[in-house]
């Protein structure tokens, strides 16, 4: 066996082991979601059998008793709304910053980059107070807050891609009579598709899984996201329905996994496009 084949085999084995390590927690949760809650603590690493199997009762309990579908609905609304607003606003902002060279745009860009290094813990209590007083403690208001926190990374990524777009394309569109807005939406936006997809996936995974920001901002008597609903499954005196929690965790991660797997090829295209053009 040649050294090249040997190292290739070792690399494949290491990747297989890493893959199993990453997927093992999900498989354990999936396995336990079909067990009776008594056996989840006693036999967490065994497959369900006739004695421990609980069927889909844990899923029914999570949906009916803990109103998980409502939480999924609010999480979906917040995620889709926030990602759309972030993509449209930050891409237009990045295009303006890149094409208009003034002290204002340079300062704006630096502020966006600086916002990425500010820890959330520094502003979370002030943010909670301001959101409550300005009536942003709703699923509609939190979209604006997510725009503020997600703008830094999105503007940084979009600016890097816009710099690679030839200015002559936009000038030709304007000569043909396009307004700046029409130039952006008809010419620039289609070219930015790879970055749109990459930023959209990153923001979606962040917002869908976020716990702290909705917990601090939302009126929890009316609105709960999936992460908060799972946290509220803990009963009084520390009593926990582990079966329902396991089922809820699976229902929470399935949309993200499906979304990521379906968009995986677009992530690779977006990274490759940025590497070649940037």
């Amino acid at each position: 066996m040649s050294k090249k084949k040997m190292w290739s085999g070792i690399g494949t084995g290491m990747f297989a082991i890493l893959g199993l390590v990453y997927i093992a927690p999900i498989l354990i949760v999936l396995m336990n979601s079909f067990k009776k809650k008594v056996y989840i603590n006693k036999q967490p690493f065994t497959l369900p059998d006739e004695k421990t199997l609980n069927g889909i009762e844990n899923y029914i309990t999570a949906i009916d008793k803990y109103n998980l579908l409502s939480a999924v609905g609010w999480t979906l609304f917040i995620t889709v709304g926030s990602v759309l607003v972030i993509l449209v606003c930050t891409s237009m902002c990045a295009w303006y910053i890149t094409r208009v060279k003034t002290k204002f745009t340079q300062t704006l860009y630096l502020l966006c980059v600086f916002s990425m290094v500010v820890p959330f813990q520094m502003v979370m209590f002030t943010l909670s107070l301001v959101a409550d007083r300005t009536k942003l403690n709703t699923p509609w208001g939190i979209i604006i807050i997510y725009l503020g926190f997600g703008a830094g990374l999105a503007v940084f990524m979009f600016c890097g891609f816009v710099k690679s777009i030839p200015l002559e394309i936009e000038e030709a569109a304007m000569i043909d009579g396009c307004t700046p807005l029409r130039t952006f939406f008809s010419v620039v936006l289609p070219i930015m598709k790879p970055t749109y997809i990459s930023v959209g996936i990153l923001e979606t995974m962040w917002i869908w899984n976020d716990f702290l920001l909705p917990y601090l901002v939302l009126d929890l008597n009316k609105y709960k996201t999936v992460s908060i609903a799972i946290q509220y499954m803990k009963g009084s005196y520390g009593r926990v329905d582990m079966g329902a929690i396991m089922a809820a965790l699976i229902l929470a991660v399935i949309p993200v996994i499906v979304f990521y797997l379906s968009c995986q090829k677009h992530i690779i295209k977006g990274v490759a496009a940025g590497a070649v053009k940037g």
Side-chain angles (χ1 to χ4, degrees), residues 53-127:
L53 184 64
N54 199 29
I56 61 171
E57 289 299 320
N58 292 329
Y59 291 88
I60 295 173
T61 302
I63 293 172
D64 291 343
K65 184 177 178 180
Y66 297 102
N67 203 17
L68 190 65
L69 287 182
S70 174
V72 171
W74 285 122
T75 307
L76 184 63
F77 172 80
I78 293 171
T79 302
V80 173
S82 300
V83 171
L84 288 177
V85 170
I86 288 172
L87 290 177
V88 174
C89 294
T90 57
S91 60
M92 295 180 71
C93 177
W95 182 57
Y96 178 78
I97 288 173
T98 306
R99 295 306 186 216
V100 180
K101 300 293 185 181
T102 63
K103 290 184 177 180
F104 170 75
T105 57
Q106 292 176 357
T107 304
L108 184 61
Y109 177 74
L110 291 176
L111 288 174
C112 289
V113 174
F114 177 73
S115 68
M116 292 191 294
V117 301
V118 177
F120 177 73
Q121 290 78 4
M122 288 182 61
V123 298
M124 62 182 187
F125 294 113
T126 306
L127 172 67

Side-chain angles (χ1 to χ4, degrees), residues 180-216:
L181 278 178
R182 187 177 176 185
T183 300
F184 175 79
F185 285 104
S186 300
V187 179
V188 178
L189 193 150
I191 299 175
M192 296 170 66
K193 182 182 175 181
T195 309
Y196 260 89
I197 294 173
S198 298
V199 174
I201 292 170
L202 293 174
E203 302 290 355
T204 298
M205 297 180 70
W206 161 50
I207 296 171
W208 179 274
N209 294 313
D210 191 22
F211 170 80
L212 189 55
L213 184 56
Y215 186 79
L216 292 172

